Amino acid sequence: MEDKIIEGLAYALPALITGGVAYLILGRFIEQDNKEKTFNALVEKKRQSLPTKLQAYERMLLFCERINPSKLLLRVNPIGDNPDDYLQLLIGNIEQEFEHNLVQQLYVSDDSWKAVLAAKLAIIAKLRSTADTAKSAKDLRENVLIDYAQQESPANTAITFLKQDVKNLI
């Protein structure tokens, strides 16, 4: 009887080992296949979202160009001679542009969004400080243009940051 048990084990043991090896190989193959499918899904998701992200960066770059004081002051002419009225018109224009592009923060990086927001706030602060000393809307306009002719606009700094972010994205 012992011989029959040993003989049975002699047949069963190789079959068990072969089955175990097959199970391990098949398990690893399935695991590798799942990883590959996950990777392909991630690549496809990135491929599909890239145009949306690039469009958001384009819109934020356009926003920065539009709030750049040298371009803003040429585009938005004063209605009267009161510097406070002109200041409110300029700030209103900046805020309107900003609200129009607010949703883009979903698609740009946090650092890019912070750079754009900082540029907007710095430009508004500079307009306000210049308006405090201006005697007329024309004076405000000239003083801001002179100030930004001597130093780089925060909008240009944000544009540089956006361009670098896009290079990293692509």
Side-chain angles (χ1 to χ4, degrees), residues 6-150:
I6 292 176
E7 188 179 320
L9 284 175
Y11 288 118
L13 190 59
L16 287 173
I17 291 173
T18 304
V21 169
Y23 176 78
L24 289 174
I25 290 173
L26 190 60
R28 288 198 177 143
F29 176 76
I30 290 172
E31 182 182 332
Q32 181 64 28
D33 190 49
N34 286 341
K35 285 181 181 178
E36 188 174 320
K37 285 180 182 178
T38 303
F39 176 74
N40 288 338
L42 182 63
V43 167
E44 182 64 21
K45 180 181 173 187
K46 284 194 173 210
R47 188 183 66 77
Q48 289 177 353
S49 69
L50 184 62
T52 305
K53 287 184 177 187
L54 289 176
Q55 185 179 24
Y57 279 98
E58 288 171 4
R59 290 189 59 88
M60 294 317 301
L61 189 119
L62 180 61
F63 168 74
C64 289
E65 285 290 340
R66 290 183 62 84
I67 68 167
N68 191 339
S70 60
K71 294 177 183 165
L72 177 68
L73 293 171
L74 294 175
R75 194 177 68 252
V76 180
N77 294 316
I79 296 172
D81 200 35
N82 186 339
D84 291 329
D85 292 343
Y86 189 44
L87 173 66
Q88 292 309 313
L89 181 64
L90 292 171
I91 291 173
N93 195 289
I94 291 171
E95 290 296 339
Q96 183 181 13
E97 289 282 339
F98 183 72
E99 287 174 12
H100 184 69
N101 291 294
L102 193 59
V103 75
Q104 303 307 320
Q105 68 181 302
L106 292 173
Y107 305 107
V108 298
S109 71
D110 288 338
D111 291 336
S112 288
W113 182 253
K114 287 176 186 174
V116 169
L117 193 57
K120 173 194 163 242
L121 295 174
I123 290 169
I124 290 174
K126 183 67 169 179
L127 289 172
R128 284 190 172 134
S129 69
T130 306
D132 288 341
T133 61
K135 294 177 176 71
S136 67
K138 183 180 175 187
D139 191 31
L140 168 63
R141 190 177 206 188
E142 289 174 0
N143 289 343
V144 170
L145 288 173
I146 290 169
D147 283 347
Y148 281 112
Q150 297 170 353

